[in-house]
């Protein structure tokens, strides 16, 4: 009887270990996809802020319009697909973290909430302003165009920093709060 119990214990333990290993591999794959996509989103926000939009006030009206039209044309469609894909790729990560790694789960959840805030800023503030900017020419600039440009820039700064902090939380969840694997031994 003792050997049957040992065989059963060894069999079920190995099965649980295999399931745990597969789950860890799945988590690693999803975290890679998630962090990669969120890095692209954050890179667009951070890069445009760092390299260009901090200088928008110093650009001539003509240059501002050219840059705005080019950026909207280059980024609009790509970001409309990339942002939702990046945010949705967080859901499998949360599911896989939910029972095994609470610190990583909560860091990832807060990171997700920050990216949702960035998405809301994009949809509620930035895109409506972008749509206005697209229609502008030197002959039809509204009287308050500089205030609208500055409003876009303010919210772009907020969105950039929110995404940087969100990405940092996602990276922390993946790298700092790893699970510790304990091996079972049988006698």
């Amino acid at each position: 009887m003792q050997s049957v119990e040992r065989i059963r214990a060894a069999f079920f333990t190995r099965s649980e270990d295999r399931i745990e290993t597969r789950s860890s591999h799945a988590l690693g794959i999803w975290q890679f996809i998630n962090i990669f996509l969120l890095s692209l989103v954050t890179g667009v926000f951070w890069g445009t802020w760092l390299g260009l939009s901090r200088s928008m006030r110093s650009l001539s009206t003509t240059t501002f319009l050219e840059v705005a039209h080019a950026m909207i044309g280059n980024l609009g469609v790509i970001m409309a697909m990339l942002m939702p894909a990046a945010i949705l790729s967080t859901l499998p990560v949360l599911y896989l973290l939910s029972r095994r790694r609470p610190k990583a789960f909560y860091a990832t959840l807060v990171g997700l909430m920050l990216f949702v805030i960035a998405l809301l800023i994009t949809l509620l503030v930035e895109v409506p302003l972008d749509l206005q900017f697209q229609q502008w020419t030197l002959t039809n600039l509204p009287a308050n165009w500089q205030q609208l440009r500055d409003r876009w820039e303010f919210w772009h700064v907020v969105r950039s920093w929110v995404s940087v902090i969100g990405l940092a939380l996602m990276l922390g969840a993946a790298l700092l709060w790893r699970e510790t694997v304990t091996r079972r031994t049988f006698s």
Side-chain angles (χ1 to χ4, degrees), residues 18-34 89 92-93 95-97 100-101 179:
R18 273 185 251 143
I19 291 168
E20 187 68 29
T21 300
R22 284 186 193 137
S23 182
S24 290
H25 289 308
L27 175 60
I29 290 167
W30 276 110
Q31 281 181 313
F32 174 82
I33 292 167
N34 181 238
S89 72
V93 174
Y95 173 76
L96 291 166
L97 288 173
R100 298 185 348 223
R101 295 168 55 186
E179 59 197 338

Side-chain angles (χ1 to χ4, degrees), residues 102-114:
K103 286 181 185 177
F105 173 83
Y106 289 112
T108 301
L109 183 61
V110 172
L112 172 63
M113 289 189 288
L114 290 172

Side-chain angles (χ1 to χ4, degrees), residues 114-127:
L114 290 172
F115 276 98
V116 168
I117 290 169
L119 179 63
L120 290 173
I121 291 169
T122 301
L123 295 175
L124 299 175
V125 179
E126 304 287 278
V127 169

